Amino acid sequence: MIKIRCDGREIVVADGTSVAAALLGAGVARFRSSVAGESRGPVCGMGVCMECRVTIDGEAHRLACQTLCREGMEVKTT
Amino acid sequence: MTPSPDAIIVGAGIVGAACAYELAGAGARVEVIDGGITGGGATAAGMGHLVVLDDNEAELALTKLSVGLWHLLAKELPRAAEFWTCGTLWIAADGEELAAAKAKYEVYRRNGLAAELLDEKQLYEAEPNLRAGLAGGLLAKQDAAVYAPVATRFLLERAKAKVTRAVVTDLDDLKAGAVVCATGALAGELVPGLRVRPRKGHLAITDRYPGFVRHQLVELGYLRSAHGESSESVAFNVQPRPTGQLLIGSSRQYEVETPILGRMLERAFEYMPGLRACSVIRTWTGFRASTPDKLPMIGRLRGNIYLATGHEGLGVTTSLGTAKILAAEILGRPSPIPAGPYRVERFDD
C-alpha cells in the first residue's frame, strides 16, 4: 500500500492505482473548476477528455487518470 | 423591391464590422456580405492585441488614434469581448535594445502616451518568470487586448447591419452608394493586381496558468520580424488571457511552408523558460494582409469602390481608426488624421 495526500488529506491505495482512481475511491468528486466555476472530474478515464486535471507535486494540469500514485505524492484539486 | 443600401461592405471581419459601425453611426444603411463565418478569418486567428506602434509616423498616428477609440468603446463592449488593459511590456534583451526602448519611451512621452521605463530589477518585479540576464523594458500602459470575434459581432449588431452569407466574385455586381472591400488577405481575389500578400502566422494557446504572465510581453526585436521583408521570422510575443491561458506567438511566413511552430515556441522558451512546462492545448494559423510598406490601404479604389485592407498584424488594433478615415472619405468629411499615407494609389506605378 502507498500513501498520497489530496488537499491535505491522506489517502491509502494499492500500488498501481491511478490518481483518478485514488481520488474517486476517497469520494473526491470535484477534481477542478471550469472557467465558470463549475465542478469537473474524470469523464473518459483514458487521457483524452482532459477533464481530470489536478496539480501534482506543484505541477498544474496533470492528468489524474494517466498518473500512477507514488508514495508521498501531493495532489491538489483546483 | 427593396432600395439599394447606402453601403455594402464585403468582409465581416473586425475591419468590415468597424466600417459598418462607423457608417451606420453616420446614418447610413449598411449591408455586410461574407462567404464565411463572421470574424472567422484573421480576426479570429490573431491575438487581439491593441498596440501602439511607432515604426513610422503614419503607423503611430493610426495606432494611437485607434487604441484611444478602443478605450472609448470598452465601456460598451460585452463582457465576453474580454477587453483588458494589460499593457505591453517591450523587453530589451541587451544594452542596444535598452537604448531602443529609451528612444521608444521618448516617442511615447512626446505623444502623450503613458509609458514607463523599467530597469533589470523592475522588469523581474513586473514579470518574475522571464529569464535572467535581460536588460530592462518599456511598459506601454495604454495597450490592451480584446477577444476580436466577439467585438466584431458587437459592432455589426450596433450597426444594425444585415449580414448575408454569400461569396462575392465581382465587386461591380454590388449595387450600393459605396462598396467597401474589407476581405483582408483575400482582397487580391476581388481586386486583381492589388499589392496585398497573405502572410502566414502561427499561434499556440496553453492551459490556464493564472498569474504566470501579467502583461502582453513582446521582445523589442519583434519590430524587425514584423516590418522586415524576410520570407520567415519568429519573435517572442506572449499574451495572458483573463482566464490565465497564455497565447504564444509569433511567426511570419511569406509563401513558404517550412515548419516554424517549433522555432516560434523555442523563441518563447528562450525568454521564459518556465513556459516549457506549460501544456499547449491548441495551435492554429491565419493569414495577415501584408502590403509592401506595412501600412493599410484605406480609401477609394475607383468609382464607388473603396478598400479597407492590408492591415498586416494590426487589423484589430487599427480597425476603429480605419473606419473613421474611410467613413470620412465616403461621406466627404474631414479625416481625423491625414489619410495620405494609407491611400490606395500610393502603389500606382
Side-chain angles (χ1 to χ4, degrees):
Chain A
M1 303 297 279
I2 51 178
K3 282 183 208 161
I4 68 166
R5 291 175 79 81
C6 176
D7 299 330
R9 171 180 159 204
E10 194 173 278
I11 301 174
V12 181
V13 292
D15 196 9
T17 305
S18 73
V19 173
L23 266 56
L24 289 171
V28 176
R30 189 187 195 105
F31 280 47
R32 65 182 187 91
S33 304
S34 74
V35 172
E38 293 171 342
S39 176
R40 292 287 187 269
V43 177
C44 74
M46 58 184 191
V48 174
C49 75
M50 312 297 284
E51 295 289 7
C52 69
R53 285 168 287 156
V54 290
T55 300
I56 297 178
D57 293 335
E59 194 180 331
H61 305 300
R62 295 277 305 272
L63 294 181
C65 75
Q66 297 297 297
T67 309
L68 293 179
C69 292
R70 270 182 296 95
E71 184 64 36
M73 187 180 258
E74 286 283 345
V75 179
K76 281 196 176 65
T77 62
T78 52
Chain B
M1 195 180 138
T2 52
S4 302
D6 298 316
I8 292 179
I9 291 154
V10 185
I14 189 75
V15 172
C19 292
Y21 173 82
E22 194 62 35
L23 288 166
R29 211 156 39 78
V30 182
E31 291 188 19
V32 177
I33 305 178
D34 194 303
I37 297 164
T38 296
T43 299
M47 281 188 173
H49 182 202
L50 307 174
V51 54
V52 176
L53 291 185
D54 60 339
D55 203 48
N56 55 64
E57 264 183 48
E59 184 182 62
L60 176 61
L62 183 58
T63 53
K64 182 187 158 188
L65 167 71
S66 299
V67 170
L69 291 169
W70 274 108
H71 280 283
L72 291 176
L73 188 68
K75 298 166 196 75
E76 297 173 51
L77 286 171
R79 203 182 156 79
E82 296 183 340
F83 182 92
W84 182 26
T85 309
C86 55
T88 304
L89 184 44
W90 293 92
I91 296 165
D94 52 30
E96 193 184 332
E97 288 190 356
L98 196 58
K102 282 177 182 156
K104 203 172 169 63
Y105 173 71
E106 290 305 326
V107 172
Y108 279 52
R109 281 274 305 261
R110 275 202 302 279
N111 284 277
L113 297 161
E116 188 184 341
L117 271 174
L118 307 183
D119 62 21
E120 188 179 346
K121 183 164 165 283
Q122 291 165 322
L123 179 64
Y124 291 113
E125 280 165 10
E127 292 289 346
N129 287 305
L130 285 169
R131 78 165 163 82
L134 296 165
L138 171 67
L139 178 60
K141 295 182 176 176
Q142 73 290 322
D143 288 356
V146 69
Y147 184 55
V150 169
T152 301
R153 288 196 291 275
F154 167 82
L155 291 168
L156 289 170
E157 279 164 21
R158 280 293 170 95
K160 296 189 168 59
K162 180 181 150 202
V163 182
T164 304
R165 198 65 60 226
V167 176
V168 173
T169 51
D170 189 342
L171 294 171
D172 291 307
D173 289 345
L174 304 173
K175 301 288 174 260
V179 172
V180 179
C181 177
T183 55
L186 301 176
E189 291 181 359
L190 290 171
V191 184
L194 191 71
R195 302 283 298 276
V196 170
R197 285 204 286 169
R199 200 174 190 193
K200 191 175 183 177
H202 292 68
L203 282 182
I205 192 162
T206 70
D207 214 322
R208 285 176 278 151
Y209 299 92
F212 192 84
V213 177
R214 301 165 183 176
H215 310 83
Q216 173 111 19
L217 303 178
V218 189
E219 64 168 296
L220 272 159
Y222 172 82
L223 294 175
R224 281 195 297 277
S225 169
H227 291 282
E229 269 298 308
S230 64
S231 65
E232 61 176 42
S233 61
V234 296
F236 172 61
N237 187 345
V238 170
Q239 179 187 105
R241 300 297 309 161
T243 54
Q245 290 180 283
L246 305 173
L247 275 170
I248 306 176
S250 61
S251 75
R252 282 177 155 77
Q253 286 182 312
Y254 283 124
E255 289 142 21
V256 288
E257 292 289 332
T258 52
I260 198 169
L261 181 65
R263 263 180 64 202
M264 183 185 94
L265 293 174
E266 286 297 334
R267 186 72 180 167
F269 301 155
E270 274 175 39
Y271 276 83
M272 197 163 244
L275 275 178
R276 204 182 280 278
C278 295
S279 2
V280 165
I281 59 171
R282 199 160 65 90
T283 69
W284 64 94
T285 62
F287 290 94
R288 307 174 183 92
S290 182
T291 63
D293 62 4
K294 305 290 176 283
L295 288 172
M297 294 185 190
I298 308 167
R300 190 191 304 272
L301 174 69
R302 59 182 157 79
N304 69 332
I305 296 178
Y306 296 80
L307 284 182
T309 181
H311 294 79
E312 240 274 14
L314 289 170
V316 179
T317 296
T318 60
S319 56
L320 301 183
T322 293
K324 291 268 183 211
I325 294 167
L326 188 77
E329 177 164 355
I330 292 174
L331 301 168
R333 295 176 180 178
S335 177
I337 55 173
Y342 322 109
R343 284 195 206 287
V344 179
E345 60 265 27
R346 71 184 186 275
F347 297 119
D348 291 351
D349 294 325

